[in-house]
Amino acid sequence: MRMRHSAEPVPGTGFIDPAVLARIGNLQLVARNVVDGFINGLHRAPWLGLSLDFAEHRAYMPGDDIRRIDWRLYARTDRYHVKEFEADTNANFVVLLDTSASMGWASGAVTKFDYARFLAASLAYFSHQQRDRVGVITFGTDIVDYVPASARHMDVLLHTVDRSRAGGGSDLTRALRSVNELLRRRGLVVLISDLYDDPARVLAAVSPLRFRGHDVIVFHVLDPAELDLPFDDALSLEDVETEEQLPVVPDQLRLRYRELVRTHCETLEREFTNQRIDYALLDTSQPLDHALFSYLAARERLSRSR
Amino acid sequence: MPLQFLAPLFLIAAAAIALPVVLHLIRREQREATRFPSLMFVRQVPHRVTRRRRLRDLPLLALRVLALLLLAGAFARPLLERERGVAAGANTGPREVVILLDRSYSMARAGSWERALAAARAEIDGLGGGDRASLVGFDANAALLSPPGADRVRLRGMLGELRPGDAGTRFDPALRLAGSILAGSPLARREVVVISDLQRIGAGEGIEAKLPPGATLRVVPVAPSAGRNLALGAVSFGRERFAGQERITASARVVNPGAAAASVTVTLEVDGRVLASRSANVGAHAAAVVPLPPFTLAAPVRGRVRLEDDALAADNAWHFALAPDQATRVLVVAPDAGASLFLERALEVGGEPGFRVAAQRSLPASLDGYDVVVVNGAALPGGAAAQALRRWVASGGGLVVALGPASGAATAEALLPGAPGQLVDRTQGGGAALGYVDLAHGALELFRTPRSGDLTAPRFYRYRPLRIPAAGDSAVRVLARFDDGGVALAERRVERGRVLAFASTLDRSWNDLPVQPIFVPLTHRLVRYAAAVAPLIPAHVVDDVVDARAAAHADEQQPLLVVAPSGARTELPPGARALPLAEAGWYTVRAADRADDVLAVIASNVDVRESEPAALPGDELITVATLPGAPGAPLQASAVPLEERERRQSLWWYLLAAAIALLVVETVLSNRGRRAAARIQEGR
């Protein structure tokens, strides 16, 4: 799944420009704007009423929790029945947010980290609306902040995401190893990162989450300038994490650079797909709708599987 | 429609397009590093830091280059030549025809003039409806006889009045006049027709005149008749005194340019009387000098040497005018008899007129009867004698003073251009030489031309440099200086007389001047200049310009009347001197108020070179006188000055407006691109 290429927005949704969102200071408001706008635009939402909606009664079977016996019905019919609900919506939803320095870069109004924060907040808000337990883990070379998944942690999550800042180095392998130890209960794990690492190492870091039974969605966030290298004059580029400098003539290496980036992304997508991990490449100039749609598709699949 | 530029030098500014090209090649490397999320991919690309020159921002570059080109073009002030009408009319439109008719005396050869007139009439008859024609008569000079127009009757009438003159042929003035007529013509087709016997003398040293580009030149040669023609080249006169009278011996030079030997009779006429006839045989392509018997010259005479009639009459007569006793009377005053030996001998040598020299040791009381007094190393008189000398000089006498050991320091100094200075002895060291000579001065201009005499050759061992007053005296002029700056020769005008002072002697006591080749001509020039004697020339050539006032010995204020051989009368107002000779024969110069009183007779003859039958090929004349170019080039355009046409078209304004518009577009695009680039490269 590569949502970046879906040029057509979801029918009825408004265009939510990340640059506009960046002007909204309140992250909850941002998330609500994104999610509510998105939901209101949908004609059909198969997951509405999933959470505590009554489905049917069935006869009490030995072993059933006696707390689930409908005593009112017993009073009327003198038979034991238990209430059935359509689904259990209390899944874990955990966002893994990359806070390395490279995420703080932008060629336009929105840094990758801002974009990632909007995305994380929006997804968390959305899940919270579904009564999921939401949590967040920010990481650089290791875990920075950890908010365990809980139905009551939405505010904490938003606060944590809001105050987090991009900086420092990045070690995906080490960070995700720690994350894997923290996430005991399986659920939906969303990784938001620019994934500046060798695809094999990225896959080696992410795959254990999948092996633990998590549904994993990887949002690969990149700036348009990282995809195109639009510089004109000869210049020295400085790595924001390592501060290494390299003199380059963009005209000369642009084509090769784009090819390398494209190969990198295609490799990641292919390998993640093989591991049944959803992968979406996000361009910070693109609306958040794409990310949400990607998430919802995965969420729907998850609900069906239960 | 070719493009012209009024100020083409501004096009050099178009080279400024190299500037944006270079700027677009330059890749400005950022001084500060640009932050970038990761160099993971950049590092994997093998790259060279060496820059490859490649043009960037091609649209911007194109805008800038185009704007610069338009600006340069605007400043060069372009204008368009509208030649569509020209090209169409170049072969079919009306013509501007200039007929150049040769009226030199060679055209008077039997039959030539009639053929020339017939050719001219044929040209006039051949004019089309819209054609315009003008008639120019030329010999050594050119005259516009009929201005450009379509009046054929007038042209024909003018032809009827024309006769060959006495002058020779020169093509340059005629072609220049034709060129100026064509340049002002509004017609597309322009043509010059030369009707001439094409005497080679007409080309002179070379034809420099060029017709306007595109004008055509057509030559109608008038071949001379095959009849015999002998010419009198020149007549020389020898003077000698015999039995107290002056005797003239004339020698005539007869030229036979023909291919057959001829016998000829040469006749000498003096004052209308035939004095002698001599027969001579002249070989083919040869000349013969025929001596004529001497005759006595007691009074001014006008004479003529002539041959019998042949095909060309104009070159059969040689007119002359002679006056007796033209020798300059010179008194040489020297302290001793041998001191002026060299000077006296030099003055006795030849000359026309010569010198009649008398020598004395001191100035006589009266100087009447002398034209020039040469004081060679003797003391100048003082007191009353000095006053008398001054009066004599003021009345027109000439005084040449050569300073020597006996020259006084205080006597008659007022006459000299400067006081004689202290004696300078240069016997040690090889003597002094002349360091500066005013060759523009009349006394020394003979030595102006190359190889005419080296005035720096004489060595002066002793001299007394003249002390010229520092305050400028317009009557005093320095003619020569020694190599140490001392004044060697100076002139002072004293009313009508001239005084020349020489700082050394005119003998061998103080210098080696007398043994130098220039001694004889120098002394002749100095004495003649001091005497203000005009050289007597017995005969001139048509086209010469003579000083009529000098020939008549008339002062500046006297009005003169000149009667030409044809009887035409010309008045010379006070101050006017020049008399151009246009006819062969005798010009008489008379006092305007006494027309019967002939003051001078000036003889004028045809230029015998015109008799040479050698003709210039018509093709050669066409080649040297025409310029390559599209037929009928400038036309109407040339009638209107370039500046005016450029002002009317004002193309520069449009170019400037276009350049400004391009620059505005360039500014907008450039700023937009720069802002975008800046946003990207700021990178957070």
Side-chain angles (χ1 to χ4, degrees):
Chain A
M1 180 170 55
R2 188 172 181 189
M3 302 309 296
R4 181 173 175 266
H5 299 295
S6 47
E8 289 294 325
V10 177
T13 59
F15 179 81
I16 304 170
D17 187 353
V20 176
L21 294 178
R23 296 193 208 109
I24 303 174
N26 189 320
L27 201 55
Q28 185 171 11
L29 189 59
V30 171
R32 184 183 300 164
N33 276 340
V34 174
V35 175
D36 288 353
F38 182 79
I39 290 171
N40 291 338
L42 292 175
H43 294 290
R44 183 173 55 84
W47 52 85
L48 281 180
L50 282 179
S51 56
L52 296 176
D53 287 356
F54 171 75
E56 60 181 359
H57 285 101
R58 68 171 172 80
Y60 173 76
M61 297 290 290
D64 281 342
D65 190 349
I66 57 171
R67 289 177 296 179
R68 293 177 62 185
I69 296 173
D70 187 344
W71 296 107
R72 294 173 189 268
L73 189 59
Y74 170 73
R76 289 200 300 270
T77 63
D78 203 24
R79 290 185 181 178
Y80 292 109
H81 288 88
V82 293
K83 278 185 175 179
E84 288 272 2
F85 295 91
E86 253 189 35
D88 182 358
T89 61
N90 292 326
N92 275 1
F93 174 84
V94 178
V95 177
L96 306 181
L97 182 60
D98 184 355
T99 63
S100 63
S102 64
M103 289 291 286
W105 193 84
S107 66
V110 183
T111 65
K112 289 189 289 183
F113 190 67
D114 286 340
Y115 193 90
R117 288 195 304 153
F118 300 156
L119 183 60
S122 300
L123 294 174
Y125 182 81
F126 202 98
S127 294
H128 183 64
Q129 293 292 84
Q130 314 306 319
R131 304 289 190 267
D132 285 344
R133 289 183 286 272
V134 293
V136 67
I137 298 173
T138 61
F139 66 93
T141 53
D142 205 343
I143 291 174
V144 178
D145 282 316
Y146 171 48
V147 178
S150 168
R152 298 185 300 274
H153 281 176
M154 183 61 197
D155 291 340
V156 181
L157 180 146
L158 289 176
H159 178 70
T160 302
V161 171
D162 195 24
R163 68 180 169 80
S164 61
R165 295 287 179 269
S170 168
D171 187 346
L172 198 63
T173 305
R174 180 180 171 189
L176 293 192
R177 190 185 302 128
S178 303
V179 167
N180 211 11
E181 291 170 0
L182 287 175
L183 300 180
R184 297 292 180 183
R185 184 173 178 179
R186 72 188 182 99
L188 184 59
V189 177
V190 172
L191 171 63
I192 305 174
S193 170
D194 51 12
L195 300 179
Y196 271 117
D197 207 342
D198 180 67
R201 286 165 53 83
V202 172
L203 199 69
V206 176
S207 295
L209 291 171
R210 180 63 189 153
F211 300 155
R212 295 283 299 257
H214 297 291
D215 271 307
V216 181
I217 304 176
V218 176
F219 287 110
H220 189 183
V221 180
L222 288 177
D223 191 276
E226 292 175 272
L227 296 167
D228 295 332
L229 197 70
F231 301 105
D232 199 3
D233 296 321
L235 73 170
S236 286
L237 292 179
E238 179 184 314
D239 192 314
V240 296
E241 292 182 8
T242 65
E243 297 188 344
E244 174 195 0
Q245 292 191 1
L246 201 63
V248 295
V249 181
D251 278 356
Q252 293 183 14
L253 56 81
R254 183 174 292 116
L255 290 178
R256 178 69 182 138
Y257 175 90
R258 288 175 180 173
E259 185 184 341
L260 285 172
V261 173
R262 191 178 67 247
T263 305
H264 178 74
C265 295
E266 287 173 354
T267 305
L268 285 174
E269 182 177 11
R270 187 176 60 250
E271 294 300 326
F272 281 137
T273 304
N274 291 340
Q275 297 288 337
R276 299 185 62 198
I277 295 171
D278 289 328
Y279 169 85
L281 175 60
L282 297 179
D283 174 342
T284 58
S285 65
Q286 298 295 316
L288 285 168
D289 310 37
H290 301 294
L292 290 181
F293 196 78
S294 175
Y295 161 75
L296 290 174
R299 190 69 180 80
E300 183 182 12
R301 189 175 63 248
L302 179 65
S303 73
R304 283 178 190 154
S305 67
R306 288 178 178 171
Chain B
M1 188 177 291
L3 192 63
Q4 283 193 5
F5 293 95
L6 208 59
L9 283 181
F10 274 102
L11 292 178
I12 296 172
I17 62 170
L19 193 62
V21 172
V22 169
L23 288 178
H24 279 248
L25 280 171
I26 293 173
R27 297 178 179 278
R28 289 164 300 169
E29 191 163 347
Q30 304 290 316
R31 194 171 291 174
E32 294 181 4
T34 300
R35 292 167 67 79
F36 198 66
S38 172
L39 301 182
M40 191 178 96
F41 301 114
V42 176
R43 214 179 291 115
Q44 295 177 37
V45 181
H47 67 281
R48 295 187 303 273
V49 178
T50 307
R51 300 169 193 172
R52 185 157 55 96
R53 301 291 181 194
R54 200 176 66 188
L55 288 172
R56 59 198 175 90
D57 296 334
L58 282 177
L60 272 181
L61 173 63
L63 282 176
R64 288 164 181 165
V65 168
L66 190 57
L68 281 175
L69 285 177
L70 289 175
L71 278 177
F75 277 94
R77 299 176 67 187
L79 71 158
L80 293 170
E81 284 284 5
R82 305 180 193 284
E83 67 172 4
R84 191 174 301 164
V86 175
N91 295 319
T92 59
R95 295 180 301 160
E96 179 72 58
V97 181
V98 180
I99 300 172
L100 302 181
L101 181 58
D102 184 357
R103 57 173 178 177
S104 64
Y105 80 80
S106 63
M107 293 294 287
R109 196 185 292 257
S112 293
W113 185 242
E114 289 71 20
R115 289 198 297 278
L117 289 181
R121 290 192 187 98
E123 291 297 330
I124 295 171
D125 293 340
L127 293 174
D131 290 352
R132 303 191 334 157
S134 47
L135 179 64
V136 172
F138 76 95
D139 39 36
N141 296 300
L144 179 61
L145 304 174
S146 175
D151 190 348
R152 292 168 179 72
V153 176
R154 180 179 180 181
L155 287 169
R156 281 178 162 274
M158 192 56 68
L159 278 181
E161 296 174 10
L162 267 180
R163 297 284 181 276
D166 290 325
T169 308
R170 280 176 62 208
F171 292 113
D172 255 345
L175 292 171
R176 283 204 174 90
L177 181 55
S180 66
I181 293 171
L182 294 183
S185 170
L187 299 182
R189 300 169 60 195
R190 294 169 302 161
E191 192 174 317
V192 175
V193 181
V194 176
I195 302 172
S196 169
D197 57 1
L198 299 173
Q199 294 296 94
R200 186 167 280 283
I201 184 182
E205 299 293 322
I207 296 173
E208 296 178 352
K210 299 287 182 192
L211 295 178
T216 57
L217 175 65
R218 192 152 50 81
V219 176
V220 180
V222 178
S225 62
R228 188 187 85 151
N229 178 45
L230 278 81
L232 270 173
V235 178
S236 58
F237 299 94
R239 291 170 183 261
E240 58 182 347
R241 300 197 72 80
F242 180 77
Q245 289 187 309
E246 193 170 14
R247 201 162 69 169
I248 304 295
T249 303
S251 300
R253 182 169 178 270
V254 181
V255 181
N256 178 18
S263 62
V264 65
T265 302
V266 181
T267 303
L268 172 64
E269 295 177 1
V270 175
D271 284 340
R273 290 186 301 115
V274 175
L275 290 188
S277 290
R278 290 286 185 273
S279 294
N281 290 317
V282 187
H285 303 298
V289 175
V290 181
L292 295 167
F295 60 92
T296 302
L297 185 63
V301 297
R302 63 181 77 178
R304 179 170 64 173
V305 177
R306 62 179 175 82
L307 308 176
E308 66 262 41
D309 286 345
D310 54 21
L312 181 58
D315 59 2
N316 292 339
W318 181 266
H319 305 83
F320 61 87
L322 293 173
D325 199 10
Q326 297 290 319
T328 304
R329 295 160 297 181
V330 182
L331 171 64
V332 176
V333 180
D336 57 77
S340 296
L341 175 68
F342 290 99
L343 176 62
E344 291 172 30
R345 293 292 178 272
L347 293 178
E348 286 171 1
V349 174
E352 282 187 12
F355 299 96
R356 193 178 305 155
V357 182
Q360 293 196 16
R361 292 194 172 187
S362 61
L363 276 174
S366 170
L367 293 172
D368 294 343
Y370 295 108
D371 298 313
V372 179
V373 171
V374 180
V375 179
N376 185 20
L380 285 170
Q387 294 300 321
L389 178 62
R390 179 181 176 79
R391 284 195 298 276
W392 177 78
V393 171
S395 64
L399 177 62
V400 179
V401 179
L403 300 178
S407 301
T411 54
E413 277 189 358
L415 270 178
L416 298 182
Q422 293 296 320
L423 177 68
V424 176
D425 190 340
R426 297 278 293 271
T427 49
Q428 304 298 322
L434 293 180
Y436 160 77
V437 178
D438 182 3
L439 293 175
H441 190 273
L444 300 176
E445 63 180 356
L446 177 71
F447 306 101
R448 191 170 192 168
T449 55
R451 294 184 292 278
S452 57
D454 184 5
L455 286 174
T456 62
R459 290 290 175 267
F460 298 89
Y461 304 105
R462 290 193 180 91
Y463 52 89
R464 299 179 64 182
L466 295 159
R467 295 198 301 269
I468 304 294
D473 184 350
S474 61
V476 175
R477 183 170 170 182
V478 174
L479 276 60
R481 291 179 184 272
F482 293 112
D483 51 12
D484 61 358
V487 175
L489 180 64
E491 177 202 3
R492 180 191 182 91
R493 293 286 182 105
V494 181
E495 298 183 22
R496 293 175 58 191
R498 298 171 178 177
V499 178
L500 291 172
F502 186 55
S504 189
T505 60
L506 291 174
D507 56 28
R508 289 202 64 186
S509 59
W510 277 14
N511 55 61
D512 65 356
L513 184 60
V515 297
Q516 296 291 335
I518 62 160
F519 184 67
V520 172
L522 179 64
T523 52
H524 282 211
R525 294 299 302 173
L526 292 180
V527 171
R528 280 216 177 90
Y529 180 80
V533 172
L536 178 66
I537 300 174
H540 295 270
V541 176
V542 171
D543 255 4
D544 279 356
V545 177
V546 298
D547 186 344
R549 200 168 291 278
H553 298 285
D555 59 39
E556 296 288 331
Q557 302 306 317
Q558 185 179 6
L560 298 174
L561 177 68
V562 177
V563 181
S566 62
R569 291 167 174 251
T570 308
E571 285 203 9
L572 279 183
R577 313 183 70 91
L579 171 64
L581 303 178
E583 303 174 20
W586 297 283
Y587 283 81
T588 54
V589 183
R590 306 160 191 243
D593 51 349
R594 300 188 308 278
D596 295 336
D597 188 3
V598 175
L599 301 177
V601 176
I602 298 169
S604 171
N605 296 287
V606 297
D607 187 344
V608 73
R609 292 178 299 171
E610 180 76 11
S611 299
E612 291 286 330
L616 188 71
D619 292 345
E620 185 177 330
L621 181 62
I622 293 171
T623 303
V624 299
T626 55
L627 290 172
L635 18 219
Q636 277 190 320
S638 61
V640 182
L642 281 179
E643 290 80 0
E644 176 62 19
R645 281 187 285 148
E646 190 273 340
R647 192 186 63 77
R648 289 179 188 172
Q649 295 182 7
S650 292
L651 293 181
W652 69 269
W653 195 96
Y654 299 103
L655 294 183
L656 194 62
I660 291 172
L662 286 178
L663 288 176
V664 169
V665 173
E666 183 271 340
T667 303
V668 172
L669 291 181
S670 175
N671 285 342
R672 187 176 297 172
R674 193 175 298 129
R675 276 199 295 268
R679 270 203 308 272
I680 291 171
Q681 296 193 351
E682 276 169 7
R684 282 179 293 181

